[in-house]
Amino acid sequence: MQVYIRHRPERVLVWTQILLLLCGTAVFASDGTKNCRLFSKSEPELKALSMLEPLAHRNFTAKTTVGGQNYTYALKVCGDVGGVPGAGAIQVDSKGEKTMVGSYNSTQAIGGTDWVMLIYRNGDKYDNHCSKESRKAIIMIFCKRNIDVGPLKVVLEDRDREQDCFYLFELDSSAVCSPLDSHLSAGSIVLIIGVCLLAVYLVGGFLYQRLVVGAKGMEQMPNYSFWVEVGNLAADGCDFVCRSEKRADPHAYSGVATEPSGEETEERDDHLLPM
């Protein structure tokens, strides 16, 4: 007992540190998407960006081969990826050289019922393509309820045009799924209320019978005497209502007294005697 008391403050300290760590993590995660700088802080864009909160501070990578060269793409939601300041998406070639595909300092977010399109602009400029404009990354995040987050997929790099070239990525996650509406019918609500009332009746009656009345065994059941007779009462009611046989009519009332009278009618049998 003394050993337990001696170590109890240490356990309290450990649990306190764990709670502080969890609280700190929660606060940090809640501010994750605020690092993204939106073009226009409109209500729809802020709402779409807030849907990506569970994906903040996560690194996503994908590999692909283009023209015989291997590339690795890295992506992060509203955070520096690959150690490149301001980079939300980068491309790493086989030599290890990094190219910023898009910056989260220039973000656009478009949301739908089951998808969010995240756009990173102002990446490194092309050398000989797309009129040497800045690179742009488009990340399509689709709803998939059965997984937390899926692997990053590189769909294409569209650079065979004069302008508006882009890198297209895909990602599946349950974070962008709209909440499911639960519609309960009137019957379901009545059933739930009935079950709750029954549970309160049984638990409350049991505690009262046991703690207040001091009942033991089956007598702890509330209204035990009534429930014991329910079967007989139900059988009698069914017998009275459901049986189709005619019942024997009671005998008609006769004026016969219950007590024999003092004078009885004397039967005359004189005619039976011989003359």
Side-chain angles (χ1 to χ4, degrees), residues 182-196:
S182 58
H183 298 287
L184 294 178
S185 62
S188 300
I189 296 175
V190 171
L191 181 61
I192 293 173
I193 294 175
V195 171
C196 293

Side-chain angles (χ1 to χ4, degrees), residues 91-233:
Q91 179 192 67
V92 184
D93 60 15
S94 57
K95 298 179 182 179
E97 295 182 0
K98 299 177 182 178
T99 302
M100 183 169 64
V101 174
S103 173
Y104 63 83
N105 291 325
S106 181
T107 303
Q108 184 178 3
I110 303 173
T113 56
D114 57 354
W115 56 270
V116 171
M117 182 169 62
L118 184 66
I119 303 175
Y120 288 149
R121 301 177 183 272
N122 293 342
D124 292 338
K125 293 185 178 182
Y126 286 99
D127 295 330
N128 300 312
H129 302 280
C130 302
S131 303
K132 298 183 179 181
E133 67 177 6
S134 299
R135 288 175 169 85
K136 176 176 62 177
I138 301 176
I139 304 99
M140 292 296 304
I141 305 171
F142 297 101
C143 166
K144 202 164 187 179
R145 296 186 182 276
N146 57 346
I147 60 172
D148 179 25
V149 59
L152 180 67
K153 302 175 184 177
V154 182
V155 179
L156 60 90
E157 177 189 0
D158 187 0
R159 62 180 186 179
D160 297 330
R161 57 174 67 189
E162 292 297 326
Q163 56 185 2
D164 291 332
C165 299
F166 59 89
Y167 295 79
L168 181 60
F169 304 90
E170 283 187 5
L171 188 66
D172 295 329
S173 175
S174 59
V176 299
C177 296
S178 57
L180 295 175
D181 296 331
S182 58
H183 298 287
L184 294 178
S185 62
S188 300
I189 296 175
V190 171
L191 181 61
I192 293 173
I193 294 175
V195 171
C196 293
L197 293 177
L198 179 62
V200 172
Y201 165 74
L202 292 176
V203 175
F206 171 81
L207 294 176
Y208 176 81
Q209 291 291 108
R210 182 177 180 86
L211 302 178
V212 179
V213 180
K216 301 294 182 181
M218 293 297 296
E219 294 182 354
Q220 297 176 97
M221 183 177 182
N223 302 110
Y224 174 73
S225 59
F226 169 77
W227 293 112
V228 169
E229 296 295 330
V230 166
N232 295 332
L233 295 175

Side-chain angles (χ1 to χ4, degrees), residues 246-264:
K246 292 184 178 180
R247 299 177 180 272
D249 295 333
H251 295 287
Y253 175 79
S254 60
V256 179
T258 57
E259 298 293 336
S261 61
E263 296 182 358
E264 294 182 358

